[in-house]
Amino acid sequence: MNIFKQLALTKHGSRGAAIESCRACFSLFHSSLHTSVEVHAQEEEVVIALGSNVGNRLHNFNEALQLMNKSAIHITRHACLYETEPAYVTDQPLFLNSAVRGITKLGPHELLGVLKKIEKDLGRSDGIRYGPRPIDLDILFYGKFKIQSEILTVPHERIWERPFVMAPLMDLLGSYVDSDNVACWNALSIHSGGLFKSWEKLGGESLIGKDGLKRVLPIGNHLWDWSQRTSVMGILNLTPDSFSDGGKFQSVKAAVSQVRSMVSDGADIIDLGAQSTRPMATRVSAEEELDRLIPVLEAVMKMPEVEGKFLSVDTFYSEVASEAVGKGAHIVNDVSSGQLDSKMLSVVAGLKVPYIAMHMRGDPSTMQNSENLKYENVCEQVASELYSRVRDAELSGVPAWRIIIDPGIGFSKNTESNLDLLNGLSNIRAEIGKRSLGLSRAPMLIGPSRKRFLGDVCGRPAAVDRDPASVASVTAGVLGGANIVRVHNVRDCLDAVKLCDAMLKRRRSI
């Protein structure tokens, strides 16, 4: 058992360290004003900041996270990922920054030693202070304790002046204080309003996208800043029974021609699906899905036109996801959020690709039954259920900076619920944000294209006649906060997206 000394409200202690329990919070330790008490270290929650600007920055992050998990630091939450301009010493490459929350039984100085060893193992050496480094790991908070020693200060003394630290730190919180530890961290802020006030004093969310602080999501070899414009995902159904265009693109030649057309029309992402997820669809095996998918994916990968575009695989099978990524797919799009294959989340964590987690109750054969269509408040319940599934992904090793959220329009929803979702995208984000600001800030995808509820509203029983309504629903979604729209008709929907983006840009500039 690890042992360290606590000196209540003193400034000197064993080896020159003062470790005091947060005065604003309940303390697990008790001592008189000048009494040193040896205590056994319990499991403590910690916050650790990450930074890198040398070599493959994302690889450095991934390696650091793996080494932390192997070193008795169990990571439970991840912040978003930020690309930032360097501070203090400005003549150096851009940094990647993030932060994690975790649980450890290591004492504070043991933890510091472990992090320093990880830095060394990943190639960090002594150099210019604030200069380039392959990895930088700093302890921001350690349980409910304020620590001062010759080698360690907690909270980290420069938190409050660094937007590139405060931004990911805020991601690790919810808008609701969820634990005594979080209450204590707020009490340790230099501002009376807590961490939220400190972030606001620096500029808060208004800083994102400005002054060298971009929130990004890694896709392939790119860092995607989704705040700049809305992305259009073109749908390629390789099935005989999809509700809109089943059977049209089963041959490799027809599929390649459709991809060429969608790319020419301006698609940013092509979503390849070889399993129908329409209501009451019959499930096919992973093997049959792969037989449909892989020949087309291999042919598409050879197309010069797809250079600079992203390919997504629409599947709920981990085996299909793994094979497709191995063949070049950049994104896994799972309508079940890991509910239909118990291996999916761990497989995606190992693949280290973006993961689209969608809300659905049941499976395609049961999602529209009466029980799965019952909601008291569809936005709140979708947000709560989707958050739970995304948390499962995060605890399986899929960091928040690789997650894309999808409220699942058309999946286990009736017409009224779909309309409520389109009206309430900001409410979904806010509800998720109560628990995790980082996950609430993830890119949001919507897929209303040609769905049955559009036909119900507009009196269009044939899916192919629903493109005007699809354009209208995409418009509502983008103005409501969607970052990606998944559509059949790329050309017309892209025009709607461009207009919405221009309106949003104009709104921000006023």
Side-chain angles (χ1 to χ4, degrees):
M1 190 75 71
N2 299 316
I3 297 176
F4 63 90
K5 290 182 182 288
Q6 180 201 15
L7 294 179
L9 311 185
T10 68
K11 294 186 178 179
H12 302 285
S14 176
R15 299 177 187 172
I19 305 176
E20 64 180 71
S21 177
C22 176
R23 282 169 280 183
C25 306
F26 173 75
S27 172
L28 296 175
F29 307 101
H30 304 274
S31 66
S32 64
L33 186 60
H34 299 294
T35 303
S36 172
V37 180
E38 282 196 345
V39 296
H40 291 276
Q42 302 297 314
E43 199 171 64
E44 297 289 354
E45 187 171 23
V46 297
V47 177
I48 299 168
L50 299 89
S52 174
N53 74 334
V54 172
N56 186 325
R57 301 170 298 171
L58 198 59
H59 174 77
N60 295 340
F61 272 31
N62 292 332
E63 289 295 301
L65 294 180
Q66 287 186 346
L67 290 172
M68 279 192 265
N69 276 312
K70 291 178 180 178
S71 303
I73 307 164
H74 175 56
I75 296 169
T76 58
R77 283 198 186 189
H78 307 74
C80 298
L81 189 67
Y82 296 83
E83 188 172 51
T84 67
E85 291 182 355
Y88 310 117
V89 178
T90 57
D91 186 17
Q92 57 177 315
L94 296 177
F95 274 85
L96 281 188
N97 289 101
S98 192
V100 295
R101 278 170 72 171
I103 302 294
T104 187
K105 289 186 176 181
L106 296 171
H109 289 87
E110 288 177 293
L111 176 60
L112 178 65
V114 165
L115 297 181
K116 292 300 180 187
K117 184 178 186 303
I118 292 173
E119 289 179 342
K120 185 176 180 181
D121 290 345
L122 294 182
R124 182 169 178 180
S125 58
D126 293 337
I128 303 171
R129 192 180 187 195
Y130 306 126
R133 72 290 304 270
I135 196 70
D136 186 29
L137 303 172
D138 287 322
I139 304 172
L140 302 184
F141 290 106
Y142 181 92
K144 300 175 184 176
F145 295 94
K146 186 173 183 179
I147 303 168
Q148 183 71 52
S149 76
E150 294 175 359
I151 60 171
L152 180 62
T153 299
V154 177
H156 193 281
E157 58 191 346
R158 292 189 177 271
I159 291 177
W160 325 111
E161 67 185 47
R162 296 175 171 179
F164 61 87
V165 174
M166 284 297 297
L169 173 58
M170 300 307 296
D171 292 339
L172 298 175
L173 309 177
S175 58
Y176 286 4
V177 174
D178 63 0
S179 70
D180 288 345
N181 279 336
V182 173
C184 190
W185 299 341
N186 275 287
L188 288 169
S189 168
I190 63 171
H191 297 104
S192 60
L195 296 173
F196 293 98
K197 189 65 174 180
S198 295
W199 177 226
E200 184 184 317
K201 287 277 189 182
L202 281 175
E205 277 295 296
S206 68
L207 295 178
I208 307 302
K210 302 175 184 176
D211 300 324
L213 186 65
K214 296 193 300 182
R215 194 176 281 138
V216 295
L217 184 143
I219 305 182
N221 296 320
H222 302 265
L223 292 174
W224 173 42
D225 177 1
W226 65 91
S227 69
Q228 297 303 302
R229 64 179 182 85
T230 305
S231 294
V232 175
M233 172 187 278
I235 300 168
L236 181 64
N237 287 318
L238 307 176
T239 59
D241 57 345
S242 290
F243 79 95
S244 173
D245 48 16
K248 290 181 66 176
F249 309 116
Q250 282 188 278
S251 74
V252 173
K253 182 178 179 181
V256 166
S257 176
Q258 177 66 1
V259 170
R260 184 172 289 115
S261 175
M262 288 192 290
V263 169
S264 175
D265 286 341
D268 302 291
I269 308 167
I270 303 296
D271 191 43
L272 294 82
Q275 170 105 233
S276 177
T277 54
R278 64 174 174 78
M280 302 305 297
T282 301
R283 187 186 303 192
V284 302
S285 67
E287 291 75 18
E288 185 173 349
E289 190 175 326
L290 284 168
D291 286 344
R292 296 173 178 175
L293 174 69
I294 296 304
V296 173
L297 178 58
E298 289 177 334
V300 170
M301 287 296 300
K302 296 175 183 177
M303 296 172 61
E305 295 94 332
V306 301
E307 180 71 28
K309 305 296 182 180
F310 300 118
L311 301 179
S312 169
V313 57
D314 180 3
T315 185
F316 49 72
Y317 285 131
S318 61
E319 181 183 347
V320 175
S322 183
E323 285 286 326
V325 171
K327 294 291 185 179
H330 304 97
I331 303 167
V332 174
N333 181 11
D334 178 7
V335 297
S336 79
S337 295
Q339 300 294 294
L340 299 181
D341 184 338
S342 61
K343 297 179 181 178
M344 177 62 95
L345 300 181
S346 60
V347 166
V348 171
L351 293 173
K352 296 181 173 59
V353 295
Y355 180 59
I356 302 173
M358 194 194 79
H359 176 271
M360 176 177 65
R361 291 174 171 176
D363 61 32
S365 67
T366 64
M367 65 183 182
Q368 296 301 111
N369 67 30
S370 59
E371 187 63 28
N372 285 329
L373 292 177
K374 288 181 181 177
Y375 298 92
E376 292 184 8
N377 184 313
V378 66
C379 289
E380 286 185 7
Q381 289 174 265
V382 165
S384 178
E385 293 168 23
L386 185 55
Y387 170 79
S388 177
R389 291 168 193 176
V390 171
R391 280 293 292 147
D392 287 342
E394 191 173 19
L395 290 170
S396 298
V398 183
W401 65 66
R402 293 192 188 276
I403 289 173
I404 298 168
I405 56 176
D406 179 350
I409 291 173
F411 289 80
S412 56
K413 321 288 188 312
N414 60 22
T415 295
E416 291 75 18
S417 292
N418 287 316
L419 294 173
D420 288 345
L421 289 180
L422 272 178
N423 274 322
L425 298 182
S426 61
N427 296 334
I428 294 171
R429 285 198 188 275
E431 193 67 27
I432 293 174
K434 291 177 182 178
R435 302 165 175 86
S436 169
L437 289 171
L439 291 176
S440 76
R441 291 162 179 163
M444 181 182 285
L445 180 150
I446 61 165
S449 181
R450 296 182 181 174
K451 293 284 173 69
R452 180 178 296 177
F453 82 100
L454 300 177
D456 292 342
V457 171
C458 300
R460 301 291 184 184
V464 293
D465 293 332
R466 299 172 190 161
D467 279 354
S470 297
V471 169
S473 63
V474 161
T475 300
V478 174
L479 293 178
N483 307 105
I484 310 169
V485 295
R486 183 178 181 273
V487 301
H488 297 85
N489 184 331
V490 171
R491 181 179 178 275
D492 290 348
C493 288
L494 179 59
D495 281 353
V497 162
K498 286 180 177 178
L499 179 61
C500 291
D501 283 349
M503 291 170 64
L504 292 170
K505 184 177 181 181
R506 179 62 182 162
R507 181 190 299 174
R508 289 190 293 266
S509 70
I510 297 175

